Amino acid sequence: MKPCFAGLVAIVIVAMGEPYASLGAESVVKELVLYPAEVVLRGEGARQALIVTARIDDRMIDVTDQVSFRSLSPEIAVVDAEGVCRSVGDGHANIVAAFQGHEVQASLEVRQAKTFMPLTFERDIQPILARAGCNSGACHGKASGQNGFKLSLLGFDSDFDYDSLTKEARGRRVFPAVPESSLILSKPTGMVPHGGGKRLDKASLHYQILYRWVAQGAPRQQTGDALLERITVEPSDRVMGNEAFQKLLVTAHYSDKKKFDVTHLSTYQSNETGIAGVDENGLITTGNIPGEAAVMVRYMGRIATSYVSVPLVGHVTMTDQDYDKLPQYNFIDEHVWNKLERLGMYPSQPSDDATFIRRAFLDVIGRLPSAEEVGAFLKNTDAKKRQVLIDELLARPEYGDYWANKWADLLRPNPYRVGIKAVLNLDIWLRKVFRKNMPYDQFVTEIITAQGSTFRDGPTVILRDRRTPDELTTMMSQLFLGIRLECAKCHQHPFEVWGQNDFYGFAAYFAQIGRKGSGLSPPISGSEEFFFNRSDGEVSHPLTGQTMIPRPLFGQAASQGDRRETLAKWMTDGSNQYFSQVMANRVWADLMGRGLVEPVDDLRATNPPTNGPLLKALSEEFRLKNFDIKELLRTIMSSYAYGLSAQPIERNVVDTRNYSRHYRQRLRAEVIHDAICDITGMPSQFAALPEGSRSMEIWTHRTPSFFLDSFGRPDPNQDPPSERTGETTVVQALHLMNAENIHKKVIDNSGMAAKLASSDCSPSEIVDRLYLSVYSRFPTQEERYVALSIFEKEPGARREITEDLMWAMINTPEFVFKN
């Protein structure tokens, strides 16, 4: 619906959050901007929507519905109150938009005004079917169709849809002799009973287009016709206030350089409706929640995105220049501060040294610092001690095991499917990769081009698990490009540009993998298998049967002889932004608590990063540093933003994605388990591992551990890439409080509590040691007072008090979470 306002007063109050009366009459509207400024209309009934924005206090406000439009040549073109121009006669005309004493003009040229331009199924009809929801998954687009009428999902198969409309049902769906009797017109208008209800009004433009198309004989797009190259949306980026409105304008660009307004034929969807919703006509409406949203626009399989930012209400109590005075340790800080300034937020204070050392240890090597390490760091007065700590942690041997453990979730298959020895071999290879800091592009290349034995060459185990080109396609594209192609296997991706041609062209790279051996025989699968490159093997398109030529998803791939080598070279090339961005995003999410893109491996236009310039800069830095993962870690951890406190302030308490503060994360299952072992001084014993092994060294999730299962390690039956659960649960809380194994570790005669109690340490020294071991900090004055008072009340229960304190501290959020 057209939003109604009493006048400019309402606009300014709603959109800007400030009373109109407080603004000077001459300073309110600084300029008007009309888009598009130049228009060409072709054919009778041709249309073009206009949008007008006003610059008010350096913010662009949509005032299209408040503007007074008029045509200076109504015999050439007319314009209605909504700002929609229509052709009348050939020639040139000017359209004037007037608002608050300002005027702006658009220049129109009308051609062939008395001729109906021919309609085509692809250009004009399929978009209407999509807007009406006819080819959606809930209606005729589902696998079995609806009531005998089936369309391809979102119109990805034009041939199928055209035949379904014109050749099936004995021609009743399209009847050119009497167009209004066609089912395509009578059912959606409710003239004939329709299970989907009324979808069209007989007076609507869409009905008129459908009617004309049927009357013209239901024409198809002809060979040689101009092809749709892309669509654009205006505005593509807009800062809006609370409860504000913004109209969108969508333009289709064709290969013959012609442009058409397709706003009325496009479909719209917001990824954050609570922040900014969008209706079927492309009208964006913001709510009262600050943040960002991406509005997806789709037309004929092409996608464009409009990004909406809604700043926090009120003002930061400082000047704009003060953002520039925030510390900038490297380029990351500049991008984070720019984003916070755009949203009216401000960063928290930096974290203290105790918080930083615990955070850094957990992020780099997945273990807590010892009490001695914390004490030494807190006493160190060197201004560069944080950078020194980062460098020392990256050089420690635990780094390899921790990061191999992370990647095992993404690559390690079920040993009962591919074989125990094979999975162990893959795990050993992963640990070697991270211990020697193999460049990420080489790491990926060795996986993509894997050859050899599953008992000797670790990456071949992945090929043993994913045995067909389509399985490898979905896994490799998601892991290493952040592109999820699963949908495109069967139909056009609903939120992206990928279709079946893209999927099977990519799958063709894996069509010539040769195998020698007995293959799989679950649940044993103990045999060795060899992988090599064959000279034959192809992939066929499931609909056309066409043999697919290997083709990258975008750009060009120079042939390297072997297909997989060609793919690996294209994938890891510096010009492939997806490759570096998805890994930079993974590492950023591990360190900062949330990815710039979530999920971390779903990079697409309709799932934009919260800070696009930052992600681009991170990926470029990663590429320039030769895909060195340690260098990427060092860069992020050296930023001022990484060291921010997790404590929110007034101007960022609502922020969950712009890094104005550090976001707490629950520790990984293995990290919590090993931390308890370190704190209590009592190691665990795992099946098929040497005595004293840490859970970080487990090579398969089949190793029994109720503790690790409770804290969200992946299901061993789940196919990689596997998801970990990072949430807290009642089971976890109950396990920490009641688990027999944890209790035994705390009270063991050889444990840390017993040793502290029997030592010469004073109660105050015992309390310090516990706090340094569990929380990596000294106790506060209040905490020390409470703990010492317990020792004073029960002087003969020194050991029991030490054990109880240790147990109680392990059962707190401060221990379970990385602050």
Side-chain angles (χ1 to χ4, degrees):
M1 294 178 60
K2 178 179 178 180
C4 296
F5 300 97
L8 180 61
V9 174
I11 289 183
V12 176
I13 290 176
V14 172
M16 304 186 65
E18 295 191 16
Y20 176 70
S22 67
L23 302 173
E26 296 300 324
S27 64
V28 175
V29 179
K30 296 182 178 180
E31 71 171 318
L32 282 184
V33 178
L34 184 150
Y35 183 86
E38 296 182 354
V39 177
V40 177
L41 298 179
R42 297 176 175 86
E44 184 171 346
R47 71 189 302 278
Q48 173 67 56
L50 305 175
I51 54 175
V52 183
T53 53
R55 184 177 298 279
I56 303 175
D57 284 357
D58 295 323
R59 180 177 293 175
M60 300 302 293
I61 307 295
D62 182 359
V63 293
T64 307
D65 291 303
Q66 304 300 310
V67 167
S68 173
F69 291 101
R70 72 180 187 276
S71 173
L72 299 184
S73 303
E75 73 280 5
I76 303 298
V78 295
V79 59
D80 62 20
E82 302 282 347
V84 178
C85 307
R86 289 180 172 82
S87 60
V88 177
D90 290 354
H92 291 80
N94 287 332
I95 303 297
V96 178
F99 179 69
Q100 293 292 310
H102 296 261
E103 287 190 351
V104 65
Q105 294 188 18
S107 174
L108 269 69
E109 180 184 356
V110 180
R111 302 174 185 174
Q112 299 175 283
K114 302 303 180 182
T115 304
F116 275 119
M117 303 305 291
L119 300 173
T120 68
F121 177 69
E122 286 83 353
R123 186 183 67 233
D124 303 291
I125 305 307
Q126 282 190 298
I128 294 177
L129 298 177
R131 272 185 63 102
C134 303
N135 55 18
S136 67
C139 199
H140 299 288
K142 63 185 179 183
S144 58
Q146 185 81 3
N147 294 331
F149 179 31
K150 182 176 180 349
L151 294 170
S152 63
L153 185 64
L154 300 178
F156 77 91
D157 189 345
S158 298
D159 291 335
F160 178 87
D161 291 350
Y162 185 80
D163 289 345
S164 183
L165 273 172
T166 61
K167 297 180 181 179
E168 293 181 1
R170 294 176 293 179
R172 294 174 60 232
R173 291 178 183 143
V174 174
F175 189 33
V178 187
E180 60 271 20
S181 297
S182 304
L183 292 180
I184 191 65
L185 290 169
S186 59
K187 278 208 165 189
T189 55
M191 302 300 292
V192 173
H194 181 219
K198 186 176 181 179
R199 315 299 295 181
L200 287 176
D201 190 282
K202 293 188 70 173
S204 69
L205 176 62
H206 294 157
Y207 180 88
Q208 296 171 24
I209 293 173
L210 282 169
Y211 186 97
R212 283 175 47 209
W213 177 72
V214 174
Q216 289 178 3
R220 287 292 305 272
Q221 182 168 298
Q222 300 299 312
T223 303
D225 285 354
L227 300 177
L228 176 63
E229 293 183 335
R230 60 191 173 94
I231 64 170
T232 56
V233 60
E234 289 290 336
S236 59
D237 191 3
R238 183 54 48 93
V239 178
M240 301 175 63
N242 289 347
E243 299 181 1
F245 300 89
Q246 175 64 59
K247 287 186 174 181
L248 296 178
L249 194 152
V250 187
T251 305
H253 301 258
Y254 286 82
S255 56
D256 59 1
K257 308 305 179 184
K258 292 179 180 178
K259 298 185 293 184
F260 296 94
D261 175 14
V262 294
T263 308
H264 58 297
L265 296 173
S266 301
T267 56
Y268 306 89
Q269 183 173 343
S270 171
N271 71 336
E272 293 285 355
T273 56
I275 296 172
V278 62
D279 69 10
E280 62 180 9
N281 298 313
L283 178 66
I284 297 174
T285 305
T286 60
N288 293 309
I289 302 174
E292 292 183 306
V295 176
M296 180 191 73
V297 182
R298 173 185 286 278
Y299 171 74
M300 288 179 61
R302 302 296 194 273
I303 290 175
T305 308
S306 180
Y307 302 102
V308 176
S309 300
V310 182
L312 192 63
V313 174
H315 298 283
V316 177
T317 55
M318 60 182 197
T319 65
D320 293 341
Q321 287 72 29
D322 286 333
Y323 277 102
D324 297 332
K325 294 179 182 178
L326 287 170
Q328 293 186 16
Y329 290 174
N330 59 29
F331 65 90
I332 291 174
D333 300 320
E334 178 184 4
H335 289 297
V336 173
W337 304 156
N338 288 343
K339 185 59 177 295
L340 295 183
E341 184 176 6
R342 177 183 174 96
L343 293 175
M345 297 178 181
Y346 200 69
S348 295
Q349 294 296 312
S351 62
D352 57 29
D353 284 341
T355 299
F356 186 88
I357 186 175
R358 189 176 195 265
R359 181 185 299 171
F361 263 76
L362 292 170
D363 279 338
V364 179
I365 63 174
R367 64 182 301 172
L368 292 178
S370 66
E372 292 76 14
E373 288 169 325
V374 176
F377 185 76
L378 296 182
K379 292 177 182 178
N380 191 342
T381 58
D382 186 353
K384 298 182 178 179
K385 66 179 183 180
R386 291 192 177 190
Q387 189 61 54
V388 172
L389 172 67
I390 294 169
D391 294 338
E392 290 176 347
L393 289 172
L394 289 171
R396 287 182 57 157
E398 299 99 320
Y399 166 86
D401 285 334
Y402 181 53
W403 285 84
N405 177 267
K406 288 175 177 286
W407 270 90
D409 289 351
L410 306 177
L411 296 172
R412 185 167 56 198
N414 186 346
Y416 290 177
R417 170 175 164 81
V418 301
I420 293 174
K421 187 173 182 179
V423 170
L424 178 60
N425 183 42
L426 173 60
D427 185 80
I428 292 171
W429 178 76
L430 281 174
R431 296 178 192 276
K432 287 180 179 178
V433 163
F434 287 97
R435 283 170 184 162
K436 69 179 184 179
N437 195 31
M438 179 186 290
Y440 180 65
D441 58 339
Q442 180 184 344
F443 168 67
V444 174
T445 296
E446 292 196 15
I447 292 175
I448 297 291
T449 63
Q451 297 187 67
S453 165
T454 54
F455 285 3
R456 183 185 65 249
D457 306 290
T460 59
V461 180
I462 300 170
L463 303 183
R464 180 169 169 82
D465 181 49
R466 300 296 180 106
R467 304 186 68 81
T468 60
D470 60 313
E471 290 180 316
L472 288 169
T473 293
T474 55
M475 183 180 191
M476 300 304 180
S477 63
Q478 180 177 342
L479 282 181
F480 304 131
L481 296 176
I483 297 175
R484 300 191 176 193
L485 288 177
E486 186 69 37
C487 292
K489 181 178 179 181
C490 300
H491 51 74
Q492 178 73 37
H493 195 298
F495 304 117
E496 256 295 1
V497 297
W498 317 118
Q500 286 185 300
N501 288 336
D502 302 297
F503 183 94
Y504 291 99
F506 193 85
Y509 283 111
F510 302 105
Q512 296 184 347
I513 297 176
R515 297 175 175 81
K516 184 176 181 181
S518 58
L520 299 182
S521 55
I524 304 301
S525 296
S527 62
E528 183 177 17
E529 192 169 14
F530 297 86
F531 293 84
F532 56 93
N533 293 322
R534 300 183 304 173
S535 58
D536 61 340
E538 303 296 344
V539 168
S540 298
H541 194 290
L543 294 181
T544 66
Q546 175 188 0
T547 298
M548 302 300 293
I549 298 174
R551 190 184 68 179
L553 295 175
F554 47 85
Q556 302 294 323
S559 176
Q560 304 293 312
D562 174 66
R563 290 186 178 185
R564 287 188 290 151
E565 290 180 2
T566 299
L567 176 62
K569 179 66 175 177
W570 168 81
M571 188 179 287
T572 60
D573 188 86
S575 63
N576 187 341
Q577 293 297 313
Y578 282 90
F579 178 73
S580 54
Q581 283 188 10
V582 69
M583 185 55 182
N585 190 50
R586 284 187 192 279
V587 175
W588 179 270
D590 282 331
L591 298 183
M592 303 298 285
R594 176 185 172 88
L596 290 160
V597 176
E598 287 286 347
V600 293
D601 52 10
D602 191 11
L603 275 57
R604 50 186 164 86
T606 51
N607 185 36
T610 58
N611 194 324
L614 174 56
L615 180 57
K616 184 177 180 180
L618 275 175
S619 66
E620 182 66 10
E621 177 76 4
F622 186 39
R623 183 187 68 82
L624 292 175
K625 293 294 179 63
N626 299 314
F627 300 104
D628 188 320
I629 297 175
K630 284 188 176 182
E631 284 299 318
L632 179 60
L633 285 163
R634 182 178 286 109
T635 298
I636 298 174
M637 296 177 70
S638 299
S639 68
Y640 186 83
Y642 174 79
L644 290 175
S645 168
Q647 184 67 34
I649 60 175
E650 182 181 358
R651 294 302 302 179
N652 68 23
V653 69
V654 298
D655 177 35
T656 60
R657 61 183 67 184
N658 295 293
Y659 313 102
S660 59
R661 54 189 169 86
H662 207 84
Y663 304 133
R664 293 182 175 91
Q665 294 172 276
R666 202 212 70 202
L667 303 182
R668 288 167 69 90
E670 292 87 349
V671 173
I672 299 177
H673 179 276
D674 290 345
I676 291 175
C677 293
D678 291 339
I679 292 166
T680 60
M682 299 301 299
S684 292
Q685 180 64 43
F686 297 103
L689 283 177
E691 185 175 351
S693 295
R694 300 172 69 84
S695 64
M696 201 63 68
E697 298 171 309
I698 294 176
W699 57 273
T700 170
H701 295 317
R702 287 287 179 185
T703 300
S705 173
F706 185 72
F707 183 99
L708 297 179
D709 290 338
S710 298
F711 280 86
R713 71 170 174 178
D715 185 338
N717 295 311
Q718 184 180 356
D719 290 333
S722 301
E723 297 283 348
R724 278 183 179 257
T725 55
E727 297 81 12
T728 55
T729 66
V730 173
V731 171
Q732 294 166 11
L734 292 175
H735 191 84
L736 284 177
M737 287 191 291
N738 303 297
E740 182 180 2
N741 289 339
I742 296 178
H743 180 251
K744 287 181 178 179
K745 290 179 186 295
V746 172
I747 67 172
D748 195 281
N749 291 329
S750 301
M752 182 60 64
K755 291 179 180 179
L756 285 175
S758 62
S759 70
D760 295 331
C761 294
S762 66
S764 181
E765 290 172 327
I766 292 176
V767 173
D768 284 349
R769 177 67 182 233
L770 288 175
Y771 271 83
L772 288 171
S773 299
V774 181
Y775 298 151
S776 303
R777 64 172 176 86
F778 284 105
T780 64
Q781 184 176 352
E782 181 181 3
E783 289 168 338
R784 187 187 301 277
Y785 172 79
V786 171
L788 293 180
S789 65
I790 300 174
F791 279 100
E792 292 173 0
K793 291 179 180 178
E794 300 287 343
R798 180 179 166 104
R799 176 172 172 179
E800 288 79 1
I801 294 172
T802 303
E803 293 170 351
D804 287 347
L805 279 174
M806 178 182 288
W807 174 83
M809 293 171 71
I810 289 174
N811 278 275
T812 59
E814 187 173 354
F815 168 67
V816 175
F817 281 82
K818 181 188 72 173
N819 191 340

